[in-house]
């Protein structure tokens, strides 16, 4: 290679972001909380492939949805000619997996998932081309009770994450027959006001008029507010179901607002639909959306099976967690192991493994290009790591078979350094960390 030839730096794909180590603790806190909450409701995790047949989404989401028309990353497999798509959402994938593996043969299933989704949208705050979702799908449950349980599970998650500025909007979009009657009247109404429809609304007028109700165009708001409301078209069965959801939520003090304009973007929804929204994220105010989708499993070739679920945007919720001042431990480890001299280095490897066997997270200082191995520079690294303790081994420590244990978080004026025999270091540090656990959670990684 010519010495003068400049190597071009490669950067990531626009809208597909790296999650850096500094952000990892917040992601970990969120993921652990989600896992705990969903498990407490009896939901089991399912993991589906990132790539699926394109037909899965065009059939399930609807050919005239924005996702299918404009946002999917679709391609033809050059090896065998298959038409494939990076999943833009995961409900269709979960239903495909449930059918393929006959998951509901022995009764209803509560399932949840987490992972990346892909949509070719204009990147903006909380909205990316590779984004992450957590979702739950309850398959085989007919009553309004599962709708309410899913909503209450979201409320518990917001509480456990310390999020307060999220409110629930609720609606029912009935069944297909009720929507068809409403659809005919809706089209007639919009045609009477065609001069007020923007280009997007005119394109949707005959293909998906319900989506016009969800417009964000200020010039159309008054006209849309006067449109026929789907709630007025609900039959007795749909109305009873919706009232059942509200009754459970009211009895459990879950506040909500009925939003008659609330619809979902996918064709497979029916009856209950809901969104959790916030004013803290600008135009990207929806952090979680869901509802009932009884027709979907039959649309995919299965037996008629009721279903209900939700999906939440992880990046948007992390933004809210940051805004709420959520505290999370930025530290790498419990122990930073400092050493001086070849014999001390060898002994430090032995000590590090013993500490890890005791359930502690340990970083052992290794040579780097950016910082020397002096005692002073190592102690700076130890402090910056967020570790609770530094374990120091030098020539004298090797000779005496002892280690110096320094409490890096000791209060001013408090004794912060002791000498401990090699064999006693793991028990000593564990006792110290467990003793401090009741007072300060910020620097504790210990996992027995």
């Amino acid at each position: 290679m010519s010495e003068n030839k400049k190597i071009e730096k490669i950067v990531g794909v626009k809208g597909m972001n790296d999650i850096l180590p500094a952000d990892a603790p917040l992601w970990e806190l969120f993921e652990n909380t989600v896992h705990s909450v969903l498990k407490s409701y009896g939901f089991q995790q399912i993991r589906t492939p990132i790539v699926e047949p394109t037909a899965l989404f065009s059939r399930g989401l609807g050919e005239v949805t924005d996702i299918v028309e404009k946002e999917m990353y679709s391609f033809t497999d050059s090896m065998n000619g298959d038409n494939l798509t990076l999943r833009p959402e995961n409900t269709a994938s979960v239903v495909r997996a449930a059918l393929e593996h006959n998951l509901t043969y022995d009764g209803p299933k509560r399932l949840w998932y987490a992972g990346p989704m892909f949509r070719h949208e204009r990147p903006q705050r909380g909205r990316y081309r590779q984004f992450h979702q957590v979702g739950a799908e309850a398959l085989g449950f007919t009553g309004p009770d599962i709708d309410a349980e899913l909503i209450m599970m979201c409320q518990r998650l917001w509480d456990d994450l310390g999020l307060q500025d999220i409110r629930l909007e609720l609606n029912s979009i009935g069944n297909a027959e009720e929507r068809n009657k409403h659809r005919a009247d809706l089209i007639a109404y919009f045609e009477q006001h065609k001069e007020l429809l923007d280009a997007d609304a005119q394109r949707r007028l005959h293909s998906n008029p319900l989506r016009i109700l969800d417009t964000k165009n200020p010039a159309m708001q008054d006209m849309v507010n006067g449109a026929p409301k789907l709630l007025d078209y609900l039959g007795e069965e749909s109305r009873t179901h919706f009232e059942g959801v509200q009754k459970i939520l009211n009895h459990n003090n879950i506040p909500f607002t009925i939003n008659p304009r609330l619809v979902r973007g996918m064709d497979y929804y029916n009856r209950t639909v809901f969104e959790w929204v916030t004013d803290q994220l600008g135009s990207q105010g929806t952090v979680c959306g869901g509802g009932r989708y009884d027709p979907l499993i039959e649309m995919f070739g299965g037996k008629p099976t009721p279903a209900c679920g939700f999906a939440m945007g992880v990046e948007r919720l992390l933004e809210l967690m940051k805004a709420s001042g959520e505290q999370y431990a930025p530290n790498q480890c419990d122990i930073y192991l400092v050493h001086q001299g070849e014999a001390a280095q060898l002994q430090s490897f032995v000590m590090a493994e013993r500490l890890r066997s005791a359930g502690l997270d340990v970083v052992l200082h290794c040579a780097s290009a950016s910082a020397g191995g002096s005692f002073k520079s190592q102690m700076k690294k130890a402090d910056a790591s967020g570790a609770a303790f530094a374990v120091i081994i030098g020539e004298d420590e090797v000779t005496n078979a002892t280690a110096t244990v320094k409490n890096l978080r000791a209060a001013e004026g408090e004794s912060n350094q002791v000498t401990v025999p090699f064999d006693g270091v793991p028990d000593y540090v564990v006792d110290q960390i467990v003793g401090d656990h009741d007072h300060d959670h910020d620097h504790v990684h210990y996992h027995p």
Side-chain angles (χ1 to χ4, degrees):
M1 182 184 292
S2 170
E3 292 183 9
N4 296 325
K5 186 175 182 180
K6 186 177 180 181
I7 299 175
E8 184 177 350
K9 184 170 69 172
I10 298 174
V11 298
V13 178
K14 183 178 181 181
M16 299 189 181
N17 302 326
D18 301 306
I19 300 169
L20 302 177
D23 299 319
L26 187 60
W27 280 80
E28 188 175 333
L29 173 62
F30 175 83
E31 290 163 352
N32 289 342
T33 305
V34 164
H35 187 277
S36 175
V37 169
L38 290 166
K39 186 179 178 184
S40 74
Y41 282 78
F43 280 73
Q44 297 175 297
Q45 190 173 19
I46 184 170
R47 305 188 187 207
T48 61
I50 288 174
V51 177
E52 295 273 13
T54 299
L56 178 73
F57 302 111
S58 57
R59 187 192 306 176
L61 306 185
E63 294 282 1
V64 294
T65 57
D66 281 352
I67 295 174
V68 172
E69 285 185 329
K70 300 184 293 187
E71 297 170 2
M72 293 201 314
Y73 282 92
S74 299
F75 59 96
T76 301
D77 187 336
S78 61
M79 303 293 286
N80 57 17
D82 289 346
N83 293 318
L84 303 175
T85 293
L86 293 176
R87 63 186 184 195
E89 59 94 48
N90 212 33
T91 297
S93 296
V94 170
V95 169
R96 189 267 313 149
L99 279 174
E100 188 172 333
H101 303 286
N102 198 22
L103 292 186
T104 58
Y105 79 96
D106 59 348
K109 288 289 182 292
R110 290 175 166 90
L111 306 171
W112 75 277
Y113 61 84
M117 312 294 158
F118 303 85
R119 297 183 193 176
H120 199 283
E121 300 182 284
R122 182 170 64 86
Q124 51 189 297
R125 183 186 182 191
R127 188 173 193 163
Y128 307 106
R129 290 175 177 174
Q130 177 177 310
F131 58 100
H132 295 77
Q133 286 187 339
V134 167
E137 314 293 353
L139 310 179
F141 299 91
T142 57
D145 45 3
I146 196 68
D147 308 29
E149 180 182 87
L150 287 163
I151 291 169
M152 291 174 64
M153 188 162 66
C154 291
Q155 181 65 66
R156 180 170 292 277
L157 181 59
W158 313 149
D159 292 343
D160 287 0
L161 293 172
L163 303 178
Q164 297 178 341
D165 298 319
I166 303 178
R167 64 185 183 275
L168 173 63
E169 294 187 351
L170 197 63
N171 192 23
S172 175
I173 58 173
N175 60 33
E177 183 181 348
E178 292 154 1
R179 283 197 303 278
N180 286 338
K181 291 179 182 177
H182 172 252
R183 185 179 186 275
D185 289 352
L186 198 60
I187 291 173
Y189 174 83
F190 285 140
E191 284 181 333
Q192 291 172 9
H193 300 84
K194 203 165 186 177
E195 73 282 358
L196 297 176
L197 299 180
D198 59 21
D200 197 41
Q202 290 191 28
R203 179 178 60 84
R204 285 171 163 160
L205 178 56
H206 292 282
S207 60
N208 199 356
L210 264 182
R211 294 294 291 151
I212 300 177
L213 298 173
D214 203 27
T215 180
K216 301 299 188 290
N217 186 342
M220 293 173 55
Q221 295 302 313
D222 287 342
M223 182 270 293
V224 168
N225 286 337
K229 293 178 173 53
L230 183 49
L231 285 174
D232 296 333
Y233 291 74
L234 297 185
E236 183 178 354
E237 194 173 338
S238 293
R239 192 179 302 111
T240 299
H241 186 98
F242 191 43
E243 288 170 353
V245 176
Q246 296 175 64
K247 183 177 181 180
I248 295 171
L249 296 179
N250 284 325
H251 189 74
N252 287 275
N253 300 313
I254 306 292
F256 60 88
T257 301
I258 293 179
N259 178 0
R261 287 173 49 182
L262 176 61
V263 295
R264 302 297 301 148
M266 286 67 151
D267 283 359
Y268 51 65
Y269 280 99
N270 71 313
R271 291 195 178 172
T272 309
V273 292
F274 62 88
E275 287 187 356
W276 292 92
V277 298
T278 179
D279 296 322
Q280 304 298 309
L281 298 176
S283 62
Q284 302 307 312
T286 301
V287 297
C288 176
R292 183 163 280 280
Y293 53 93
D294 298 334
L296 186 59
I297 293 178
E298 191 173 7
M299 286 169 59
F300 283 176
K303 297 177 181 178
T305 305
C308 191
F310 64 71
M312 59 184 66
V314 176
E315 283 86 352
R316 296 182 190 181
L317 289 165
L318 294 181
E319 289 274 348
L320 287 181
M321 290 172 69
K322 291 176 184 176
S324 71
E326 178 63 45
Q327 297 297 308
Y328 56 96
N331 50 315
Q332 294 174 254
C333 55
D334 300 309
I335 307 295
Y336 196 96
L337 227 157
V338 175
H339 53 84
Q340 286 285 293
E342 184 178 351
Q345 182 190 47
L346 293 172
Q347 181 59 49
S348 293
F349 274 94
V350 175
M351 179 61 71
E353 292 305 310
R354 293 185 64 183
L355 289 165
R356 292 179 184 121
S357 294
L360 297 160
D361 293 343
V362 181
V363 170
L364 188 152
H365 184 84
C366 292
S368 69
S370 60
S374 69
F375 177 76
K376 184 176 181 181
S377 67
Q378 289 191 51
M379 290 305 295
K380 283 185 177 179
K381 288 275 190 181
D383 191 55
S385 74
F389 292 89
V391 173
I392 303 162
I393 300 177
E395 293 180 4
D396 290 344
E397 282 81 6
V398 172
T399 300
N400 298 320
T402 61
T404 300
V405 180
K406 183 171 184 177
N407 185 343
L408 298 173
R409 311 301 158 194
E412 189 174 345
E414 183 182 339
S415 175
N416 69 344
Q417 191 165 298
V418 295
T419 299
V420 182
F422 281 157
D423 289 344
V425 171
D427 286 343
Y428 173 81
V429 176
V430 167
D431 288 345
Q432 292 296 308
I433 288 180
V434 172
D436 288 344
H437 194 275
D438 293 335
H439 306 291
D440 180 7
H441 292 261
D442 289 347
H443 297 283
V444 175
H445 278 248
Y446 169 67
H447 41 87

